[in-house]
Amino acid sequence: MDVNKWLKTVSGEVERVNKISKEYYNKYDIKQGLRNSDGTGVVVGFTKIGSVHGSKYVNGKKTPVDGKLIYRNIEINDLIKSFKEFGFECTVYLLLFGKLPLKNELDNFNEILDGYRRMPPAFTENMILKSPSNNVMNKLQRSILALYSYDQDPDSLEIDKILLQSIKLIARFPTIISYGYQAKCHYFDNQSLYLHNPKKGIGTAKNILHMIRADNLYTALEADILDLLLILHAEHGGGNNSAFTTHVVSSTGTDTYSAIGAAVGSLKGPKHGGANLKVVEMVNDIKAHIDYTDMVQLKDYLIKILKKKAFNRKGLIYGMGHAVYTKSDPRAVILKEKAAELAKEKNQMDEFDLYCNIEKLTKDIFKELKGEDAEICANVDLYSGFVYKLLNIPKELYTPLFATARVASWCVHRIEQLVSDEKIIRPAYKSLKNDESGMY
């Protein structure tokens, strides 16, 4: 039997019997995507870890405001100004312990992280090199699950055990993604294999650059900007898909490795952490089809993308719009400034202008299509992929770097779920008859 031919024959029927008409969501007031009709998220819990603000209500009407991102009661702009070095490590400490570290606390914390950066004996060879993946996020997820077998008490729900598991994962993510990338290049791209042991005393950002580059070389500006990217991606409230995944999975009482592995699977999706790759692909498509310095051509092409007549025909201008932010995404504002600085140094201002023009023209198009009150802002993904490109970070690592930044947040959201809410998260679904003639 030709299985592929059979699959093509039956797949249409499988799609048909599982398709639910959108009219039912309105008819029964179902919060599709766990969102209210005004786009705000359905409130399902509390969190002390982070806060995301993009609007306020004035006389009962949702009103756009400049975005705010807050980590443990500290606004992101103030957080970035509060340290001179080891910014990401300070941020991780803040997320885990609820306060910024003193000098001796940071020194001790860095020493602990350095002690766990190297992988367990034989793990690199057996788990990473002998079973490489063409997708580094897939390799990261599998490696996390494999680390369960290296833990003497992996299923413990004691907070001290979970905290140790969390710190080990935070320390090892950079090593796993770096080695996973090297294995991918060696096996699938026929490149030489370079494995550099992580160094002590240099922090996460510098270790990543040290481990992914054959020559070990990087500039201070490159390390500083990568450190900033890690800080900006570290936390984004409890409602983002991967953090909520962590809450849902942790509510079952499962182990840390299963919960964090599930979060990685969530972040891998192009509607979440994979969006930065889509931005780069979209920009490359624009450059291939038009004179991107011509504002008229660029605007017309962006309209084609929105109308599903260009790029991947999904009708999305990637890097624009956000579920919470309306007037501005504070991460994008900060990163845009750094992108300009880096683009100037690397003589890439023409391409930086293209990203700025995509932002400006998309805002104009939305006002033309939906009225002067329509607001859409650039999100962090519009500029993060461009900055990674300027840093000579391979595209295979864009989303894994996002995961490396976000893992501390996932671990804290897991702890928050376990100590605050013992109920398993179990929302309800209404059941429709297969012919959609009504509910059971």
mmCIF file of all heavy atoms in Angstrom, residues 194-240:
data_model
loop_
_atom_site.group_PDB
_atom_site.id
_atom_site.type_symbol
_atom_site.label_atom_id
_atom_site.label_comp_id
_atom_site.label_asym_id
_atom_site.label_seq_id
_atom_site.Cartn_x
_atom_site.Cartn_y
_atom_site.Cartn_z
ATOM 1 N N TYR A 194 34.163 22.448 16.288
ATOM 2 C CA TYR A 194 34.885 23.218 17.304
ATOM 3 C C TYR A 194 34.084 23.151 18.609
ATOM 4 O O TYR A 194 32.939 23.588 18.651
ATOM 5 C CB TYR A 194 35.045 24.682 16.884
ATOM 6 C CG TYR A 194 35.842 24.889 15.620
ATOM 7 C CD1 TYR A 194 35.201 25.022 14.389
ATOM 8 C CD2 TYR A 194 37.233 24.937 15.665
ATOM 9 C CE1 TYR A 194 35.937 25.212 13.230
ATOM 10 C CE2 TYR A 194 37.974 25.129 14.501
ATOM 11 C CZ TYR A 194 37.318 25.256 13.287
ATOM 12 O OH TYR A 194 38.053 25.447 12.146
ATOM 13 N N LEU A 195 34.684 22.595 19.634
ATOM 14 C CA LEU A 195 34.048 22.546 20.947
ATOM 15 C C LEU A 195 34.955 23.231 21.956
ATOM 16 O O LEU A 195 36.040 22.737 22.257
ATOM 17 C CB LEU A 195 33.785 21.100 21.382
ATOM 18 C CG LEU A 195 32.769 20.304 20.562
ATOM 19 C CD1 LEU A 195 32.624 18.906 21.143
ATOM 20 C CD2 LEU A 195 31.412 20.999 20.535
ATOM 21 N N HIS A 196 34.525 24.387 22.438
ATOM 22 C CA HIS A 196 35.296 25.136 23.421
ATOM 23 C C HIS A 196 34.640 24.999 24.785
ATOM 24 O O HIS A 196 33.440 25.252 24.917
ATOM 25 C CB HIS A 196 35.364 26.622 23.035
ATOM 26 C CG HIS A 196 35.939 26.850 21.677
ATOM 27 N ND1 HIS A 196 35.492 27.850 20.841
ATOM 28 C CD2 HIS A 196 36.922 26.209 20.996
ATOM 29 C CE1 HIS A 196 36.177 27.826 19.716
ATOM 30 N NE2 HIS A 196 37.041 26.830 19.783
ATOM 31 N N ASN A 197 35.408 24.610 25.766
ATOM 32 C CA ASN A 197 34.868 24.537 27.113
ATOM 33 C C ASN A 197 34.464 25.928 27.594
ATOM 34 O O ASN A 197 35.151 26.911 27.293
ATOM 35 C CB ASN A 197 35.895 23.964 28.084
ATOM 36 C CG ASN A 197 36.090 22.474 27.905
ATOM 37 O OD1 ASN A 197 35.150 21.764 27.568
ATOM 38 N ND2 ASN A 197 37.301 21.999 28.129
ATOM 39 N N PRO A 198 33.342 26.043 28.317
ATOM 40 C CA PRO A 198 32.979 27.354 28.862
ATOM 41 C C PRO A 198 34.052 27.850 29.819
ATOM 42 O O PRO A 198 34.713 27.061 30.494
ATOM 43 C CB PRO A 198 31.658 27.078 29.594
ATOM 44 C CG PRO A 198 31.628 25.601 29.816
ATOM 45 C CD PRO A 198 32.389 24.991 28.696
ATOM 46 N N LYS A 199 34.198 29.160 29.869
ATOM 47 C CA LYS A 199 35.207 29.784 30.731
ATOM 48 C C LYS A 199 34.560 30.313 32.008
ATOM 49 O O LYS A 199 33.414 30.744 32.003
ATOM 50 C CB LYS A 199 35.895 30.946 30.001
ATOM 51 C CG LYS A 199 36.883 30.530 28.934
ATOM 52 C CD LYS A 199 37.585 31.770 28.381
ATOM 53 C CE LYS A 199 38.676 31.411 27.385
ATOM 54 N NZ LYS A 199 39.367 32.627 26.889
ATOM 55 N N LYS A 200 35.336 30.305 33.062
ATOM 56 C CA LYS A 200 34.850 30.863 34.323
ATOM 57 C C LYS A 200 35.145 32.362 34.382
ATOM 58 O O LYS A 200 36.143 32.826 33.837
ATOM 59 C CB LYS A 200 35.509 30.150 35.497
ATOM 60 C CG LYS A 200 35.109 28.682 35.621
ATOM 61 C CD LYS A 200 35.727 28.036 36.851
ATOM 62 C CE LYS A 200 35.261 26.584 36.987
ATOM 63 N NZ LYS A 200 35.820 25.930 38.199
ATOM 64 N N GLY A 201 34.258 33.098 35.022
ATOM 65 C CA GLY A 201 34.505 34.499 35.298
ATOM 66 C C GLY A 201 34.134 35.477 34.201
ATOM 67 O O GLY A 201 34.354 36.681 34.361
ATOM 68 N N ILE A 202 33.549 34.997 33.084
ATOM 69 C CA ILE A 202 33.240 35.924 31.988
ATOM 70 C C ILE A 202 31.745 36.091 31.762
ATOM 71 O O ILE A 202 31.326 36.963 30.987
ATOM 72 C CB ILE A 202 33.928 35.504 30.669
ATOM 73 C CG1 ILE A 202 33.397 34.162 30.165
ATOM 74 C CG2 ILE A 202 35.435 35.472 30.839
ATOM 75 C CD1 ILE A 202 33.932 33.787 28.779
ATOM 76 N N GLY A 203 30.916 35.283 32.371
ATOM 77 C CA GLY A 203 29.471 35.442 32.264
ATOM 78 C C GLY A 203 28.867 34.746 31.057
ATOM 79 O O GLY A 203 29.560 34.138 30.227
ATOM 80 N N THR A 204 27.557 34.867 30.936
ATOM 81 C CA THR A 204 26.798 34.126 29.925
ATOM 82 C C THR A 204 27.039 34.630 28.513
ATOM 83 O O THR A 204 27.332 33.846 27.601
ATOM 84 C CB THR A 204 25.289 34.203 30.252
ATOM 85 O OG1 THR A 204 25.066 33.669 31.558
ATOM 86 C CG2 THR A 204 24.476 33.415 29.244
ATOM 87 N N ALA A 205 26.917 35.932 28.285
ATOM 88 C CA ALA A 205 27.020 36.478 26.929
ATOM 89 C C ALA A 205 28.387 36.185 26.315
ATOM 90 O O ALA A 205 28.483 35.715 25.173
ATOM 91 C CB ALA A 205 26.755 37.977 26.951
ATOM 92 N N LYS A 206 29.438 36.449 27.060
ATOM 93 C CA LYS A 206 30.782 36.207 26.537
ATOM 94 C C LYS A 206 31.028 34.719 26.320
ATOM 95 O O LYS A 206 31.707 34.321 25.360
ATOM 96 C CB LYS A 206 31.823 36.798 27.477
ATOM 97 C CG LYS A 206 31.848 38.320 27.481
ATOM 98 C CD LYS A 206 32.905 38.875 28.439
ATOM 99 C CE LYS A 206 32.914 40.394 28.422
ATOM 100 N NZ LYS A 206 33.904 40.959 29.373
ATOM 101 N N ASN A 207 30.497 33.878 27.195
ATOM 102 C CA ASN A 207 30.662 32.437 27.015
ATOM 103 C C ASN A 207 29.998 31.951 25.739
ATOM 104 O O ASN A 207 30.533 31.080 25.037
ATOM 105 C CB ASN A 207 30.109 31.681 28.224
ATOM 106 C CG ASN A 207 31.216 31.204 29.155
ATOM 107 O OD1 ASN A 207 32.175 30.568 28.713
ATOM 108 N ND2 ASN A 207 31.104 31.522 30.428
ATOM 109 N N ILE A 208 28.823 32.496 25.421
ATOM 110 C CA ILE A 208 28.150 32.103 24.181
ATOM 111 C C ILE A 208 29.005 32.456 22.978
ATOM 112 O O ILE A 208 29.236 31.617 22.084
ATOM 113 C CB ILE A 208 26.768 32.771 24.090
ATOM 114 C CG1 ILE A 208 25.828 32.177 25.149
ATOM 115 C CG2 ILE A 208 26.166 32.594 22.700
ATOM 116 C CD1 ILE A 208 24.530 32.937 25.320
ATOM 117 N N LEU A 209 29.497 33.690 22.926
ATOM 118 C CA LEU A 209 30.349 34.104 21.799
ATOM 119 C C LEU A 209 31.631 33.282 21.756
ATOM 120 O O LEU A 209 32.107 32.914 20.679
ATOM 121 C CB LEU A 209 30.665 35.597 21.923
ATOM 122 C CG LEU A 209 29.458 36.533 21.779
ATOM 123 C CD1 LEU A 209 29.850 37.968 22.115
ATOM 124 C CD2 LEU A 209 28.882 36.465 20.369
ATOM 125 N N HIS A 210 32.182 32.973 22.908
ATOM 126 C CA HIS A 210 33.388 32.155 23.010
ATOM 127 C C HIS A 210 33.146 30.749 22.458
ATOM 128 O O HIS A 210 33.989 30.186 21.743
ATOM 129 C CB HIS A 210 33.830 32.096 24.470
ATOM 130 C CG HIS A 210 34.704 30.935 24.822
ATOM 131 N ND1 HIS A 210 36.010 30.822 24.395
ATOM 132 C CD2 HIS A 210 34.450 29.828 25.577
ATOM 133 C CE1 HIS A 210 36.532 29.700 24.867
ATOM 134 N NE2 HIS A 210 35.604 29.078 25.579
ATOM 135 N N MET A 211 31.968 30.174 22.738
ATOM 136 C CA MET A 211 31.726 28.777 22.362
ATOM 137 C C MET A 211 31.223 28.599 20.933
ATOM 138 O O MET A 211 31.413 27.528 20.349
ATOM 139 C CB MET A 211 30.728 28.145 23.339
ATOM 140 C CG MET A 211 31.313 27.874 24.714
ATOM 141 S SD MET A 211 30.216 26.916 25.802
ATOM 142 C CE MET A 211 29.007 28.157 26.254
ATOM 143 N N ILE A 212 30.596 29.622 20.338
ATOM 144 C CA ILE A 212 30.047 29.424 18.990
ATOM 145 C C ILE A 212 31.019 29.846 17.890
ATOM 146 O O ILE A 212 30.792 29.518 16.721
ATOM 147 C CB ILE A 212 28.714 30.178 18.803
ATOM 148 C CG1 ILE A 212 28.916 31.698 18.854
ATOM 149 C CG2 ILE A 212 27.684 29.711 19.809
ATOM 150 C CD1 ILE A 212 27.667 32.500 18.513
ATOM 151 N N ARG A 213 32.103 30.547 18.260
ATOM 152 C CA ARG A 213 33.037 31.034 17.247
ATOM 153 C C ARG A 213 34.326 30.221 17.253
ATOM 154 O O ARG A 213 34.911 29.981 18.312
ATOM 155 C CB ARG A 213 33.349 32.515 17.487
ATOM 156 C CG ARG A 213 32.129 33.392 17.245
ATOM 157 C CD ARG A 213 32.436 34.862 17.412
ATOM 158 N NE ARG A 213 31.270 35.672 17.059
ATOM 159 C CZ ARG A 213 31.211 36.988 17.176
ATOM 160 N NH1 ARG A 213 32.250 37.660 17.651
ATOM 161 N NH2 ARG A 213 30.119 37.648 16.832
ATOM 162 N N ALA A 214 34.745 29.826 16.069
ATOM 163 C CA ALA A 214 35.941 29.001 15.955
ATOM 164 C C ALA A 214 37.180 29.712 16.483
ATOM 165 O O ALA A 214 38.065 29.090 17.079
ATOM 166 C CB ALA A 214 36.163 28.606 14.486
ATOM 167 N N ASP A 215 37.236 31.047 16.295
ATOM 168 C CA ASP A 215 38.434 31.800 16.697
ATOM 169 C C ASP A 215 38.333 32.378 18.111
ATOM 170 O O ASP A 215 39.271 33.029 18.583
ATOM 171 C CB ASP A 215 38.709 32.928 15.699
ATOM 172 C CG ASP A 215 37.544 33.898 15.550
ATOM 173 O OD1 ASP A 215 36.591 33.813 16.353
ATOM 174 O OD2 ASP A 215 37.577 34.726 14.622
ATOM 175 N N ASN A 216 37.196 32.164 18.770
ATOM 176 C CA ASN A 216 36.996 32.657 20.146
ATOM 177 C C ASN A 216 36.953 34.180 20.264
ATOM 178 O O ASN A 216 36.929 34.712 21.379
ATOM 179 C CB ASN A 216 38.101 32.167 21.095
ATOM 180 C CG ASN A 216 38.054 30.675 21.330
ATOM 181 O OD1 ASN A 216 37.001 30.075 21.247
ATOM 182 N ND2 ASN A 216 39.187 30.078 21.625
ATOM 183 N N LEU A 217 36.951 34.896 19.157
ATOM 184 C CA LEU A 217 37.116 36.346 19.217
ATOM 185 C C LEU A 217 35.775 37.066 19.216
ATOM 186 O O LEU A 217 34.835 36.681 18.519
ATOM 187 C CB LEU A 217 37.954 36.830 18.028
ATOM 188 C CG LEU A 217 39.381 36.261 17.934
ATOM 189 C CD1 LEU A 217 40.072 36.770 16.678
ATOM 190 C CD2 LEU A 217 40.181 36.626 19.175
ATOM 191 N N TYR A 218 35.697 38.130 19.995
ATOM 192 C CA TYR A 218 34.515 38.987 20.030
ATOM 193 C C TYR A 218 34.942 40.321 20.634
ATOM 194 O O TYR A 218 35.931 40.411 21.363
ATOM 195 C CB TYR A 218 33.391 38.360 20.866
ATOM 196 C CG TYR A 218 33.805 37.932 22.249
ATOM 197 C CD1 TYR A 218 33.807 38.828 23.317
ATOM 198 C CD2 TYR A 218 34.229 36.627 22.498
ATOM 199 C CE1 TYR A 218 34.207 38.446 24.585
ATOM 200 C CE2 TYR A 218 34.624 36.225 23.771
ATOM 201 C CZ TYR A 218 34.609 37.135 24.800
ATOM 202 O OH TYR A 218 35.008 36.764 26.059
ATOM 203 N N THR A 219 34.183 41.367 20.293
ATOM 204 C CA THR A 219 34.502 42.685 20.818
ATOM 205 C C THR A 219 33.684 42.953 22.082
ATOM 206 O O THR A 219 32.685 42.283 22.352
ATOM 207 C CB THR A 219 34.187 43.781 19.790
ATOM 208 O OG1 THR A 219 32.763 43.852 19.596
ATOM 209 C CG2 THR A 219 34.867 43.486 18.457
ATOM 210 N N ALA A 220 34.098 43.959 22.822
ATOM 211 C CA ALA A 220 33.371 44.342 24.039
ATOM 212 C C ALA A 220 31.961 44.803 23.690
ATOM 213 O O ALA A 220 31.000 44.490 24.415
ATOM 214 C CB ALA A 220 34.127 45.444 24.774
ATOM 215 N N LEU A 221 31.804 45.533 22.562
ATOM 216 C CA LEU A 221 30.482 46.003 22.156
ATOM 217 C C LEU A 221 29.576 44.823 21.811
ATOM 218 O O LEU A 221 28.402 44.806 22.191
ATOM 219 C CB LEU A 221 30.594 46.947 20.955
ATOM 220 C CG LEU A 221 29.270 47.488 20.404
ATOM 221 C CD1 LEU A 221 28.531 48.295 21.470
ATOM 222 C CD2 LEU A 221 29.511 48.347 19.153
ATOM 223 N N GLU A 222 30.113 43.820 21.117
ATOM 224 C CA GLU A 222 29.325 42.643 20.779
ATOM 225 C C GLU A 222 28.829 41.937 22.044
ATOM 226 O O GLU A 222 27.661 41.561 22.146
ATOM 227 C CB GLU A 222 30.157 41.677 19.934
ATOM 228 C CG GLU A 222 30.383 42.143 18.505
ATOM 229 C CD GLU A 222 31.248 41.179 17.713
ATOM 230 O OE1 GLU A 222 32.206 40.613 18.290
ATOM 231 O OE2 GLU A 222 30.966 40.986 16.517
ATOM 232 N N ALA A 223 29.705 41.767 23.006
ATOM 233 C CA ALA A 223 29.329 41.102 24.257
ATOM 234 C C ALA A 223 28.288 41.921 25.023
ATOM 235 O O ALA A 223 27.333 41.360 25.579
ATOM 236 C CB ALA A 223 30.565 40.870 25.113
ATOM 237 N N ASP A 224 28.464 43.237 25.050
ATOM 238 C CA ASP A 224 27.523 44.103 25.764
ATOM 239 C C ASP A 224 26.123 44.050 25.145
ATOM 240 O O ASP A 224 25.113 44.003 25.860
ATOM 241 C CB ASP A 224 28.028 45.544 25.773
ATOM 242 C CG ASP A 224 29.206 45.749 26.712
ATOM 243 O OD1 ASP A 224 29.453 44.860 27.546
ATOM 244 O OD2 ASP A 224 29.882 46.789 26.600
ATOM 245 N N ILE A 225 26.071 44.053 23.812
ATOM 246 C CA ILE A 225 24.766 44.052 23.145
ATOM 247 C C ILE A 225 24.094 42.688 23.274
ATOM 248 O O ILE A 225 22.872 42.604 23.459
ATOM 249 C CB ILE A 225 24.906 44.484 21.672
ATOM 250 C CG1 ILE A 225 25.288 45.972 21.618
ATOM 251 C CG2 ILE A 225 23.616 44.239 20.911
ATOM 252 C CD1 ILE A 225 25.431 46.541 20.233
ATOM 253 N N LEU A 226 24.870 41.601 23.205
ATOM 254 C CA LEU A 226 24.278 40.285 23.425
ATOM 255 C C LEU A 226 23.760 40.166 24.859
ATOM 256 O O LEU A 226 22.679 39.613 25.101
ATOM 257 C CB LEU A 226 25.296 39.178 23.134
ATOM 258 C CG LEU A 226 24.769 37.746 23.308
ATOM 259 C CD1 LEU A 226 23.522 37.504 22.466
ATOM 260 C CD2 LEU A 226 25.853 36.719 22.963
ATOM 261 N N ASP A 227 24.497 40.708 25.814
ATOM 262 C CA ASP A 227 24.045 40.724 27.199
ATOM 263 C C ASP A 227 22.726 41.490 27.307
ATOM 264 O O ASP A 227 21.791 41.052 28.002
ATOM 265 C CB ASP A 227 25.111 41.382 28.077
ATOM 266 C CG ASP A 227 24.801 41.277 29.564
ATOM 267 O OD1 ASP A 227 24.741 40.149 30.082
ATOM 268 O OD2 ASP A 227 24.619 42.333 30.207
ATOM 269 N N LEU A 228 22.614 42.616 26.607
ATOM 270 C CA LEU A 228 21.374 43.398 26.608
ATOM 271 C C LEU A 228 20.218 42.592 26.015
ATOM 272 O O LEU A 228 19.099 42.604 26.559
ATOM 273 C CB LEU A 228 21.577 44.688 25.809
ATOM 274 C CG LEU A 228 20.329 45.551 25.594
ATOM 275 C CD1 LEU A 228 19.795 46.073 26.922
ATOM 276 C CD2 LEU A 228 20.623 46.707 24.635
ATOM 277 N N LEU A 229 20.479 41.892 24.911
ATOM 278 C CA LEU A 229 19.436 41.074 24.296
ATOM 279 C C LEU A 229 18.919 40.010 25.266
ATOM 280 O O LEU A 229 17.714 39.761 25.359
ATOM 281 C CB LEU A 229 19.978 40.405 23.032
ATOM 282 C CG LEU A 229 19.976 41.269 21.761
ATOM 283 C CD1 LEU A 229 20.951 40.707 20.742
ATOM 284 C CD2 LEU A 229 18.577 41.320 21.165
ATOM 285 N N LEU A 230 19.828 39.397 25.996
ATOM 286 C CA LEU A 230 19.427 38.381 26.971
ATOM 287 C C LEU A 230 18.550 38.990 28.066
ATOM 288 O O LEU A 230 17.548 38.400 28.484
ATOM 289 C CB LEU A 230 20.663 37.728 27.585
ATOM 290 C CG LEU A 230 21.529 36.891 26.634
ATOM 291 C CD1 LEU A 230 22.807 36.446 27.335
ATOM 292 C CD2 LEU A 230 20.769 35.677 26.110
ATOM 293 N N ILE A 231 18.915 40.183 28.512
ATOM 294 C CA ILE A 231 18.121 40.870 29.548
ATOM 295 C C ILE A 231 16.717 41.185 29.023
ATOM 296 O O ILE A 231 15.714 40.947 29.704
ATOM 297 C CB ILE A 231 18.823 42.166 29.994
ATOM 298 C CG1 ILE A 231 20.157 41.854 30.674
ATOM 299 C CG2 ILE A 231 17.925 42.972 30.935
ATOM 300 C CD1 ILE A 231 21.051 43.068 30.849
ATOM 301 N N LEU A 232 16.634 41.711 27.810
ATOM 302 C CA LEU A 232 15.349 42.119 27.242
ATOM 303 C C LEU A 232 14.407 40.937 27.025
ATOM 304 O O LEU A 232 13.182 41.091 27.058
ATOM 305 C CB LEU A 232 15.569 42.852 25.916
ATOM 306 C CG LEU A 232 16.269 44.213 25.981
ATOM 307 C CD1 LEU A 232 16.469 44.775 24.586
ATOM 308 C CD2 LEU A 232 15.478 45.196 26.838
ATOM 309 N N HIS A 233 14.974 39.754 26.793
ATOM 310 C CA HIS A 233 14.161 38.571 26.530
ATOM 311 C C HIS A 233 13.903 37.729 27.780
ATOM 312 O O HIS A 233 13.215 36.702 27.712
ATOM 313 C CB HIS A 233 14.847 37.682 25.486
ATOM 314 C CG HIS A 233 14.710 38.181 24.083
ATOM 315 N ND1 HIS A 233 15.733 38.813 23.420
ATOM 316 C CD2 HIS A 233 13.672 38.145 23.219
ATOM 317 C CE1 HIS A 233 15.335 39.143 22.205
ATOM 318 N NE2 HIS A 233 14.086 38.749 22.054
ATOM 319 N N ALA A 234 14.430 38.143 28.923
ATOM 320 C CA ALA A 234 14.442 37.263 30.095
ATOM 321 C C ALA A 234 13.067 36.997 30.688
ATOM 322 O O ALA A 234 12.824 35.904 31.202
ATOM 323 C CB ALA A 234 15.373 37.845 31.166
ATOM 324 N N GLU A 235 12.147 37.956 30.635
ATOM 325 C CA GLU A 235 10.858 37.796 31.307
ATOM 326 C C GLU A 235 9.797 38.609 30.572
ATOM 327 O O GLU A 235 10.089 39.671 30.026
ATOM 328 C CB GLU A 235 10.976 38.259 32.778
ATOM 329 C CG GLU A 235 9.706 38.643 33.484
ATOM 330 C CD GLU A 235 8.686 37.518 33.634
ATOM 331 O OE1 GLU A 235 9.019 36.349 33.360
ATOM 332 O OE2 GLU A 235 7.544 37.817 34.001
ATOM 333 N N HIS A 236 8.559 38.069 30.558
ATOM 334 C CA HIS A 236 7.488 38.819 29.904
ATOM 335 C C HIS A 236 6.127 38.462 30.463
ATOM 336 O O HIS A 236 5.153 38.286 29.731
ATOM 337 C CB HIS A 236 7.532 38.590 28.391
ATOM 338 C CG HIS A 236 7.118 39.789 27.602
ATOM 339 N ND1 HIS A 236 6.007 39.820 26.799
ATOM 340 C CD2 HIS A 236 7.655 41.030 27.535
ATOM 341 C CE1 HIS A 236 5.892 41.016 26.249
ATOM 342 N NE2 HIS A 236 6.878 41.773 26.681
ATOM 343 N N GLY A 237 6.065 38.356 31.799
ATOM 344 C CA GLY A 237 4.791 38.089 32.437
ATOM 345 C C GLY A 237 4.389 36.629 32.364
ATOM 346 O O GLY A 237 5.027 35.807 31.711
ATOM 347 N N GLY A 238 3.296 36.296 33.036
ATOM 348 C CA GLY A 238 2.845 34.915 33.089
ATOM 349 C C GLY A 238 1.957 34.497 31.939
ATOM 350 O O GLY A 238 1.688 33.308 31.763
ATOM 351 N N GLY A 239 1.495 35.455 31.135
ATOM 352 C CA GLY A 239 0.533 35.135 30.090
ATOM 353 C C GLY A 239 1.127 34.793 28.746
ATOM 354 O O GLY A 239 0.405 34.300 27.871
ATOM 355 N N ASN A 240 2.425 35.054 28.532
ATOM 356 C CA ASN A 240 2.996 34.654 27.242
ATOM 357 C C ASN A 240 2.962 33.134 27.133
ATOM 358 O O ASN A 240 2.967 32.409 28.131
ATOM 359 C CB ASN A 240 4.406 35.223 27.063
ATOM 360 C CG ASN A 240 5.415 34.577 27.974
ATOM 361 O OD1 ASN A 240 5.941 33.502 27.706
ATOM 362 N ND2 ASN A 240 5.712 35.244 29.089
#
